[in-house]
Amino acid sequence: CAVSFSSEAIPNGIGFGGRINHFGLFLSAAFDQGHTFSCATFNSPCLSKSSKICPEVIECWGVVRKGTQQEKQDALKGTVLERFKEDRNMLNMVGIANASE
């Protein structure tokens, strides 16, 4: 994973499995393009008909511990930036976290 950095050795984005420039799945830092190749890491085939991809929708999932009712109420306290730290971290990864400030 690299943001605001670009070189032949380290692409600007996030890659899963495989190796640099030949990832099982790679998305650019802007999430507007990427590539996919067969990958021994996950023993998976290329995820598209073409190795180059231009995603239209990206869906992110997370696994969280099931909390008590009090923890759920506590999660609603604080500012929007405090309550949505994961979202802010994702925006930081692509270099636009402070775009609305």
Side-chain angles (χ1 to χ4, degrees):
C1 179
V3 175
S4 300
F5 182 83
S6 186
S7 76
E8 290 296 317
I10 301 175
N12 193 8
I14 185 167
F16 302 92
R19 61 185 186 279
I20 293 178
N21 295 324
H22 202 86
F23 292 104
L25 176 63
F26 175 81
L27 293 173
S28 69
F31 297 126
D32 61 346
Q33 61 183 329
H35 66 252
T36 176
F37 293 99
S38 59
C39 175
T41 306
F42 305 114
N43 195 26
S44 66
C46 182
L47 302 174
S48 177
K49 290 180 183 178
S50 169
S51 63
K52 290 187 178 190
I53 59 172
C54 296
E56 293 179 18
V57 175
I58 297 174
E59 186 173 338
C60 296
W61 288 72
V63 178
V64 295
R65 179 176 56 92
K66 186 175 181 180
T68 65
Q69 186 64 26
Q70 183 62 43
E71 288 173 336
K72 291 177 185 176
Q73 289 174 348
D74 290 344
L76 296 177
K77 294 179 181 175
T79 68
V80 170
L81 295 178
E82 291 168 340
R83 291 193 331 245
F84 297 97
K85 289 181 181 172
E86 293 85 3
D87 298 331
R88 187 141 180 95
N89 288 336
M90 180 62 81
L91 293 174
N92 275 327
M93 277 182 33
V94 296
I96 59 172
N98 300 319
S100 64
E101 291 181 1

